[in-house]
């Protein structure tokens, strides 16, 4: 009999197909496990598969007396209650760097779409504005990216790839992280000083208690009326109401967001603003990134069930 894996989060069938070939999957469809399966069905589940951002903690662990491993699909694991997991001696695995290139590509997509006003330009053309020579205040000449000062907050695998990409656009790049890294960019040891310096702030930091709403109203004010912000990390890093206010009153010039405080994101005041570009958390959503993440999940699960150390364990 195949080893049982509880699929805690809601996944598309296509994302689970490879796992189903090797493991017996108990799919919750994103519902509480106890509402879908009986205690008898759950008693011998030894591994759990989850999306790292989805809250997962003691309440679910207590339903799974044989649980030994939590494997995250993707890089993040911020939704996992690490304290509760440690108390149960659970090992945690993720997919480090598997989607880094895809996420970095989307960061650049958001930045270029925002700065070059691609969305209003597309709407203007489709509505016949160009053919009719109609004036459009949203299409006044924007500032170009060449020569801009770009600050990267977080210089892990994704941050490094973002920095390399944006540097190729003839920008000046600096970064802030908890420590200095061996990268060819200026290190600024204080986040506020990085924001004071830069024209563009690209957020690629890992989510956690120390970064919760760290980009608040005061930080946005320091970014300035010509500053733009791109976030492909986690929505929790930004005070979203403060961001909406800053975008609405001109405190900052614009924002590109792939992540939000609450996901899935329901349109509100943010989606009505003309100076934002929004995408539905698709940073790592490419075919090659999914294959790479699935490879990591399979390697982690295979090692766990074989009694070996996870090759991609969270430290």
């Amino acid at each position: 009999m195949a080893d049982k894996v509880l699929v805690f989060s809601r996944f598309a069938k296509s994302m689970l197909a490879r796992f189903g070939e090797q493991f017996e999957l108990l799919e919750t469809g994103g519902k509480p496990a106890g509402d879908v399966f009986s205690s008898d069905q759950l008693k011998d589940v030894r591994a759990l598969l989850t999306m790292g951002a989805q809250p997962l903690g003691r309440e679910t662990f207590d339903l799974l007396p044989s649980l030994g491993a939590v494997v995250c699909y993707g890089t993040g694991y911020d939704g996992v209650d690490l304290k509760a997991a440690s108390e149960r001696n659970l090992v945690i695995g993720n997919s480090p760097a598997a989607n880094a290139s895809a996420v970095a590509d989307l960061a650049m997509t958001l930045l270029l779409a925002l700065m070059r006003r691609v969305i209003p330009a597309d709407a203007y053309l489709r509505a016949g504005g160009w053919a009719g020579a109609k004036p459009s205040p949203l299409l006044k000449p924007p500032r170009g990216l060449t020569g801009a000062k770009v600050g990267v907050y977080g210089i892990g695998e994704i941050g490094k790839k973002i920095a390399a990409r944006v540097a190729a656009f003839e920008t000046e790049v600096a970064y802030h992280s908890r420590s200095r890294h061996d990268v060819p960019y200026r290190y600024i040891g204080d986040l506020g000083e990085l924001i004071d310096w830069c024209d563009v702030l690209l957020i690629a930091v890992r989510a956690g208690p120390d970064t919760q709403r760290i980009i608040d109203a005061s930080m946005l004010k320091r970014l300035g009326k010509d500053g733009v912000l791109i976030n492909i990390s986690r929505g929790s890093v930004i005070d979203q109401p403060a961001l909406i206010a800053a975008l609405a009153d001109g405190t900052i010039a614009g924002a590109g967001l792939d992540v939000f405080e609450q996901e899935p994101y329901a349109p509100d005041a943010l989606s009505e603003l003309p100076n934002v570009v929004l995408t539905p958390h698709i940073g790592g959503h490419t075919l090659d990134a999914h294959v790479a993440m699935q490879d990591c999940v399979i390697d982690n699960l295979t090692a766990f069930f074989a009694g070996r150390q996870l090759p991609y364990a969270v430290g």
Side-chain angles (χ1 to χ4, degrees):
M1 181 179 294
D3 293 303
K4 285 186 178 180
V5 177
L6 179 72
V7 182
F8 179 71
S9 301
R10 184 176 182 178
F11 287 84
K13 291 292 184 182
S14 60
M15 296 167 68
L16 297 176
R18 293 178 64 199
F19 308 143
E21 295 172 359
Q22 300 187 46
F23 311 103
E24 180 183 350
L25 304 182
L26 279 67
E27 299 180 48
T28 66
K31 299 177 182 178
D35 292 354
V36 181
F37 300 105
S38 68
S39 57
D40 190 59
Q41 290 173 301
L42 297 174
K43 67 181 182 182
D44 56 352
V45 170
R46 297 176 55 214
L48 181 151
L49 176 63
T50 185
M51 291 288 194
Q54 184 172 349
L56 170 65
R58 187 173 284 104
E59 181 179 355
T60 299
F61 298 156
D62 288 345
L63 298 173
L64 306 167
S66 300
L67 186 67
V70 173
V71 176
C72 299
Y73 188 107
T75 302
Y77 50 87
D78 44 296
V80 180
D81 185 334
L82 297 179
K83 182 175 185 294
S86 177
E87 291 171 357
R88 283 282 303 273
N89 293 316
L90 305 180
V91 293
I92 312 296
N94 67 340
S95 309
N99 63 6
S101 292
V103 176
D105 287 348
L106 187 73
M108 291 304 302
T109 301
L110 290 170
L111 177 58
L112 292 169
L114 179 67
M115 294 193 72
R116 294 306 303 266
R117 299 176 182 158
V118 169
I119 291 178
D122 178 90
Y124 176 75
L125 185 149
R126 290 173 186 268
W130 188 27
K134 298 178 181 178
S136 174
L138 290 177
L139 293 183
K140 65 181 181 180
R143 173 185 175 162
L145 191 54
T146 302
K149 295 178 179 178
V150 178
V152 180
Y153 175 29
I155 202 76
E157 292 300 323
I158 293 173
K160 289 175 183 175
K161 290 181 180 293
I162 290 173
R165 282 158 171 73
V166 77
F169 282 78
E170 302 174 59
T171 63
E172 184 178 353
V173 180
Y175 72 97
H176 170 74
S177 65
R178 286 178 294 181
S179 59
R180 190 186 299 267
H181 289 247
D182 183 18
V183 291
Y185 315 112
R186 176 186 173 191
Y187 174 66
I188 298 180
D190 179 80
L191 175 59
E193 291 180 10
L194 177 76
I195 293 175
D196 289 339
W197 172 84
C198 71
D199 306 306
V200 176
L201 178 65
L202 285 155
I203 301 174
V205 72
R206 184 175 296 282
D210 57 333
T211 61
Q212 183 82 15
R213 290 195 168 191
I214 194 168
I215 306 299
D216 57 13
S218 64
M219 289 292 191
L220 293 167
K221 186 175 182 180
R222 294 173 75 165
L223 185 57
K225 63 182 181 62
D226 297 320
V228 300
L229 174 153
I230 306 295
N231 187 16
I232 46 73
S233 60
R234 286 287 191 259
S236 61
V237 176
I238 297 177
D239 182 337
Q240 193 161 299
L243 175 62
I244 293 171
L247 289 163
D249 66 14
T251 297
I252 68 172
L257 308 172
D258 186 47
V259 289
F260 306 88
E261 280 193 332
Q262 297 293 326
E263 296 183 4
Y265 165 68
D268 58 11
L270 182 62
S271 61
E272 297 174 1
L273 295 168
N275 53 343
V276 295
V277 179
L278 309 175
T279 51
H281 204 150
I282 58 170
H285 192 51
T286 65
L287 289 174
D288 50 335
H290 278 298
V291 169
M293 289 187 284
Q294 291 161 13
D295 288 345
C296 290
V297 168
I298 290 170
D299 289 349
N300 274 332
L301 288 173
T302 300
F304 171 72
F305 286 124
R308 303 193 305 269
Q309 183 177 351
L310 270 60
Y312 305 107
V314 172

